[in-house]
């Protein structure tokens, strides 16, 4: 099974290409709806974009506009990532405030407060974040910033802004996700001076400008984790590559606890070997290196079939348990108590018509459908298409019977064993 480039690296690295006053080539970019939307944002800023398969050439030598269009930002929260690079390069940025989404309110005050600490004047007016750097030179200045929460997005926004600031910036309580490190490596490849990415303290010494680079992003650890769970829930053996095992430490540990085996084969390949049963486990999501919230829904589907009782606690997002109701419609026995799900394993799930509510919930329902007796019809594939490249084709390669009923965004996937 081939794993695509990481969605959550691609989105922020594409935004980060705005920092470069020459052209950049970024490789291993997955073909996803969200990636297409980010490219639309870059085009709307007057940046030259050309795609060559999974490589994208971005030429941000001359950024024509500093306002990100509302109609695109409203469909892609990650568009907000352009605010840091625009402020750093142009000294001004006007970006619509990203709304909430299915999984939570998704505020951005940590991004805003950090940019203000770096000397930007930021105010919100009629739903748009207006930011500019006062003074003739219009350059941000280095600052020491403590994040109340190790926010991935805030860490990435502030790290990008700091690459071209005057002086040194220290981000404390920074996010340590692999995508943060990937972004730091991309910026360093352009000549940025960044130390400590992947730890909770990142130091950035500003430089006058960044130069061209040809950079390949990391494989998607969440797609890899989703396929590992597919092996577990269908008692199938499968191999995945490319993967970076240390990006999946918590997920692999929990799959072992649940009775499976994950074997590292060579530099960048993993093999999943199922156990006799699915043992119950307890897990709690948290910032990296904790268990990733983006894998919570997939494990919920797996634990629905465990031989015992499991407890899953979601601590990162306040509304990321909506797949529970849909899993229960397939015969799961899951009770919610606040942000905790108490799962009583059942012997089997039954195929049913179900509705996807968000990206990872839709993946979890596909997994449940693969394991269920009978046919599951999943409605709302627009969520799935945001984050998974050719998912049904990849599952078909593994022997799954899954067809997309219509080309429309609200298409249905018919999944049967
Ligand atoms: C990134 O979102 C990912 N998205 C998410 O992946 C992922 O779930 C999340 O990190 C956590 O790992 C991208 O990288 C494009 P956060 P982000 O800022 O940056 C609160 C997926 O399925 N917070 O770490 O938005 C926030 O409300 C997506 O691929 C503030 O309160 O995540 C949340 O409760 C979903 N104020 C928590 O922090 C802020 O200013 C974590 O958010 C910022 C965040």
């Amino acid at each position: 099974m081939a794993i695509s480039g990481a969605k959550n690296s691609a989105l922020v690295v594409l935004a980060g290409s705005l920092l470069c006053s020459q052209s950049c080539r970024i490789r291993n970019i997955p073909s996803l709806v969200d990636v297409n939307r980010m490219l639309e944002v870059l085009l709307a800023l007057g940046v030259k974009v050309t795609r060559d398969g999974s490589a994208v050439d971005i030429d941000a030598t001359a950024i024509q506009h500093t306002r990100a269009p509302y109609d695109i930002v409203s469909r892609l929260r990650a568009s907000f990532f352009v605010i840091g690079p625009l402020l750093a390069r142009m000294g001004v940025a006007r970006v619509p405030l990203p709304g909430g989404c299915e999984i939570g309110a998704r505020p951005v005050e940590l991004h805003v407060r950090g940019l203000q600490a770096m000397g930007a004047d930021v105010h919100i007016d009629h739903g748009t974040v207006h930011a500019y750097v006062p003074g003739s030179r219009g350059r941000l200045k280095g600052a020491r910033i403590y994040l109340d929460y190790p926010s991935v997005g805030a860490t990435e926004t502030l790290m990008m802004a700091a690459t071209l600031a005057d002086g040194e910036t220290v981000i404390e309580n920074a996010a340590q996700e692999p995508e943060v490190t990937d972004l730091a490596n991309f910026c360093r490849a352009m000549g940025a001076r960044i130390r400590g990415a992947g730890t909770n303290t990142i130091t950035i010494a500003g430089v006058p400008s960044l130069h061209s680079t040809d950079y390949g992003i990391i494989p998607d650890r969440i797609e890899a984790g989703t396929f590992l769970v597919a092996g577990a829930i269908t008692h199938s053996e499968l191999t995945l590559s490319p993967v970076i095992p240390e990006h999946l430490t918590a997920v692999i540990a929990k799959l072992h606890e649940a009775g499976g085996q994950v074997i590292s084969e060579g530099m960048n390949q993993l093999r999943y070997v199922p156990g006799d049963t699915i043992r119950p486990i307890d897990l709690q999501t948290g910032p990296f290196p904790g268990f990733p919230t983006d894998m919570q829904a997939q494990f919920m589907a797996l634990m629905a079939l465990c031989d015992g009782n499991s407890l899953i606690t979601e601590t990162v997002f306040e509304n990321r348990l909506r797949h529970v109701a849909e899993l229960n419609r397939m015969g799961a026995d899951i009770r919610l108590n606040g942000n905790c799900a108490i799962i009583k394993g059942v012997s089997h799930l039954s195929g049913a018509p179900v509705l996807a509510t968000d990206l990872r919930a839709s993946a979890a329902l596909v997994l449940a459908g693969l394991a269920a007796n009978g046919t599951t019809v999943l409605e709302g594939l627009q969520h799935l298409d945001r984050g998974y490249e050719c998912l049904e084709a990849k599952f078909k390669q593994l022997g799954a019977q899954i067809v997309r009923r219509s080309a429309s965004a609200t298409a249905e996937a018919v999944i049967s064993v």
Side-chain angles (χ1 to χ4, degrees):
M1 176 48 54
I3 299 298
S4 306
K7 167 181 85 82
N8 291 345
S9 270
L11 295 174
V12 72
V13 166
L14 287 170
S17 66
L18 291 169
L19 292 165
C20 186
S21 39
Q22 298 173 350
S23 67
C24 286
R25 165 157 280 218
I26 304 163
R27 286 177 287 102
N28 200 26
I29 295 285
S31 170
L32 301 172
V33 167
D34 275 6
V35 166
N36 297 340
R37 286 176 177 160
M38 180 57 85
L39 294 177
E40 284 173 48
V41 174
L42 298 181
L43 285 167
L45 297 173
V47 165
K48 293 193 190 74
V49 175
T50 44
R51 285 192 89 153
D52 172 10
S54 66
V56 178
D57 292 317
I58 310 270
D59 182 350
T61 310
I63 298 175
Q64 316 281 337
H65 312 289
T66 57
R67 175 191 285 277
Y70 174 75
D71 63 320
I72 303 175
V73 174
S74 61
R75 289 179 294 136
L76 175 66
R77 300 194 70 268
S79 319
F80 193 70
F81 279 138
V82 302
I83 193 167
L86 283 177
L87 266 183
R89 270 295 297 281
M90 313 297 286
V92 63
R94 283 158 298 172
V95 185
L97 199 57
C101 71
E102 305 83 5
I103 61 178
R106 311 293 292 274
V108 290
E109 88 287 347
L110 296 176
H111 303 239
V112 170
R113 288 215 304 259
L115 293 172
Q116 288 169 330
M118 295 173 75
D121 183 309
V122 187
H123 67 278
I124 295 167
D125 183 35
H126 297 301
T128 294
V129 179
H130 295 262
Y132 73 98
V133 186
S136 55
R137 294 180 58 240
R139 279 179 81 91
L140 291 164
K141 60 184 191 314
R144 177 175 286 275
I145 300 163
Y146 174 82
L147 294 178
D148 294 346
Y149 183 91
S151 153
V152 172
T155 302
E156 293 169 337
T157 288
L158 300 174
M159 185 166 71
M160 289 190 285
T163 56
L164 297 175
D166 278 336
E168 181 175 85
T169 297
V170 179
I171 304 172
E172 294 179 306
N173 197 28
Q176 304 177 51
E177 272 70 3
E179 293 75 25
V180 173
T181 305
D182 206 18
L183 173 66
N185 291 337
F186 167 65
C187 292
R188 286 150 54 101
M190 294 191 290
R193 293 171 55 202
I194 301 173
R195 285 181 291 115
T199 75
N200 61 6
T201 303
I202 303 176
T203 303
I204 307 104
V207 294
S209 66
L210 297 180
H211 57 69
S212 186
T213 187
D214 179 329
Y215 187 81
I217 66 170
I218 57 174
D220 196 311
R221 61 191 168 104
I222 304 302
E223 182 189 27
T226 302
F227 279 110
L228 288 172
V229 174
I233 203 169
T234 59
H235 296 290
S236 313
E237 189 168 326
L238 51 86
T239 55
L240 305 174
S241 74
V243 292
I244 301 175
E246 54 269 23
H247 290 174
L248 283 156
T249 307
V251 171
I252 291 169
K254 286 299 173 183
L255 285 168
H256 284 160
E257 207 180 312
Q261 269 196 302
V262 182
I263 301 153
S264 202
E265 294 183 331
M267 279 293 286
N268 64 1
Q269 180 161 303
L270 288 180
R271 172 184 299 276
Y272 177 79
V273 179
D276 301 336
T277 63
I278 299 168
R279 289 206 292 260
I281 61 169
D282 293 348
L283 74 82
Q284 173 168 306
T285 66
F288 195 88
F291 188 89
T293 173
D294 294 349
M295 283 299 304
Q296 177 260 106
Q298 298 90 315
F299 266 74
M300 188 81 75
L302 179 62
M303 285 301 116
L305 292 167
C306 75
D307 57 3
N309 296 319
S310 295
L311 181 69
I312 291 184
T313 307
E314 171 57 60
T315 72
V316 177
F317 289 107
E318 69 270 24
N319 190 27
R320 202 174 200 176
L321 292 164
R322 295 175 63 194
H323 39 282
V324 167
E326 296 303 300
L327 289 169
N328 285 342
R329 296 187 60 249
M330 297 176 73
D333 181 352
I334 306 171
R335 284 177 298 117
L336 287 179
N337 179 9
N339 64 342
C340 290
I342 300 107
I343 306 131
K344 189 170 178 299
V346 294
S347 57
H348 66 280
L349 293 174
S350 310
V354 287
L355 186 62
T357 50
D358 62 80
L359 167 55
R360 306 304 174 181
S362 47
L365 293 170
V366 171
L367 297 177
L370 293 175
N373 295 345
T375 298
T376 296
V377 180
L378 173 63
E379 180 102 23
L381 299 190
Q382 70 275 17
H383 295 291
L384 208 57
D385 295 340
R386 286 188 44 220
Y388 290 94
E389 188 177 20
C390 313
L391 192 69
E392 63 257 38
K394 292 185 176 183
F395 272 127
K396 270 184 196 158
Q397 268 185 312
L398 295 173
Q401 293 178 41
I402 176 169
V403 291
R404 183 178 287 246
R405 267 196 182 151
S406 80
S408 75
T410 56
E412 298 167 339
V414 178
I415 307 154
S416 53
V417 291

